[in-house]
């Protein structure tokens, strides 16, 4: 159902439309499907499942197989081996906390959507020259946030950013209002303590609030 998002332009359109990409850390694979369903019901049909836990690949596989309405990808991918495992599990995109050029080139060669992170002009130049036109800006709150993105965007015209790190409900609309920002990544709607008891209703509620903020901004 989401095969069109494997195309780079379609993927970028999906990012822009969703506005907020939940950054998910899961210790248990059995939490993956109910969490994904809660996000979809709340109006955020995307999830970046991070490779910070041993369960990451299994979580991606379960979501990919059981939740056709969510755009699922892998985050905190730092090498080609992880990228291959993620794609084999069903990840439709790869996100890195920085960039490993070998991983970026593997993704490009295999037509896998990739969002590497870059915060300096030299990093951006290296990636743009490899036809990467959307990058993660992480950690956004440490590296200057919106003023830093504006400065970079004034030089790298047309390039777009996905800031993550320090983005929250209080500053969300400020980030989304910036034309150089395609979407943001955040954890506040998927924090493990919200569903530690097996109840995912809080995730759905917060996702609904975030989705409403995105819709208000778009309107």
């Amino acid at each position: 159902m989401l095969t069109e998002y494997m195309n780079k332009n379609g993927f970028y359109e999906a990012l822009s439309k969703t506005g907020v990409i939940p950054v998910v850390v899961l210790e248990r694979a059995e939490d993956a499907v109910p969490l994904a369903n809660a996000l979809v019901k709340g109006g955020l049909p995307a999830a970046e499942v991070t490779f910070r836990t041993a369960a990451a690949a299994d979580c991606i596989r379960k979501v990919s197989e059981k939740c056709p309405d969510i755009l699922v990808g892998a985050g905190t991918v730092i090498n080609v081996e992880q990228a291959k495992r993620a794609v084999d599990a069903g990840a439709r995109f790869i996100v890195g906390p920085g960039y490993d050029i070998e991983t970026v080139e593997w993704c490009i060669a295999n037509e896998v959507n990739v969002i590497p992170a870059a915060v300096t002009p030299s990093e951006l130049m290296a990636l743009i020259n490899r036809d990467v036109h959307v990058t993660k800006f992480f950690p956004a709150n440490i590296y200057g946030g919106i003023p830093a993105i504006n400065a970079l965007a004034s030089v790298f015209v047309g390039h777009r950013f996905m800031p993550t790190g320090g983005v929250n409900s209080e500053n969300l609309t400020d980030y989304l209002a910036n034309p150089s920002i395609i979407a943001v990544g955040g954890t506040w709607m998927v924090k493990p303590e919200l569903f530690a008891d097996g109840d995912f209703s809080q995730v759905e509620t917060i996702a609904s609030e975030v989705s409403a903020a995105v819709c208000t901004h778009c309107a």
Side-chain angles (χ1 to χ4, degrees):
M1 189 173 297
L2 291 170
T3 53
E4 67 271 23
Y5 295 152
M6 294 304 288
N7 171 273
K8 184 166 70 172
N9 290 334
F11 172 61
Y12 287 165
E13 182 181 348
L15 281 184
S16 181
K17 182 178 180 180
T18 304
V20 178
I21 308 301
V23 179
V24 178
V25 181
L26 290 172
E27 297 285 350
R28 305 188 313 165
E30 55 263 40
D31 288 334
V33 170
L35 179 67
N37 287 336
L39 289 172
V40 171
K41 290 177 182 177
L44 288 182
E48 177 191 325
V49 180
T50 64
F51 263 68
R52 303 179 199 176
T53 72
D58 286 340
C59 290
I60 291 169
R61 182 172 291 105
K62 286 180 179 293
V63 172
S64 178
E65 292 175 351
K66 302 294 184 181
C67 306
D69 294 326
I70 194 167
L71 179 63
V72 61
T76 322
V77 174
I78 62 174
N79 54 48
V80 173
E81 186 272 334
Q82 287 183 336
K84 289 179 178 178
R85 285 175 57 207
V87 172
D88 287 345
R92 295 181 174 89
F93 62 95
I94 299 295
V95 181
Y99 80 86
D100 169 64
I101 203 62
E102 184 179 355
T103 302
V104 171
E105 291 178 344
W106 180 86
C107 288
I108 292 172
N110 289 276
E111 298 184 338
V112 176
N113 294 305
V114 60
I115 305 179
V119 296
T120 69
S122 294
E123 290 172 333
L124 285 168
M125 287 170 62
L127 293 168
I128 289 170
N129 286 331
R130 284 171 170 80
D131 200 32
V132 175
H133 299 292
V134 172
T135 51
K136 181 174 180 175
F137 190 79
F138 172 79
N141 57 333
I142 301 298
Y143 282 107
I146 292 173
I149 289 172
N150 286 340
L152 292 168
S154 70
V155 176
F156 301 102
V157 178
H159 190 81
R160 301 191 76 186
F161 301 84
M162 187 173 79
T164 307
V167 180
N168 52 52
S169 59
E170 296 178 357
N171 58 25
L172 174 61
T173 56
D174 291 334
Y175 276 101
L176 292 179
N178 191 307
S180 297
I181 293 173
I182 191 169
V184 303
T187 61
W188 74 95
M189 75 298 293
V190 288
K191 288 185 178 297
E193 57 265 30
L194 294 174
F195 53 88
D197 59 355
D199 181 356
F200 292 82
S201 60
Q202 289 188 79
V203 173
E204 182 179 342
T205 296
I206 300 174
S208 296
E209 294 169 355
V210 173
S211 177
V214 173
C215 290
T216 298
H217 162 73
C218 292

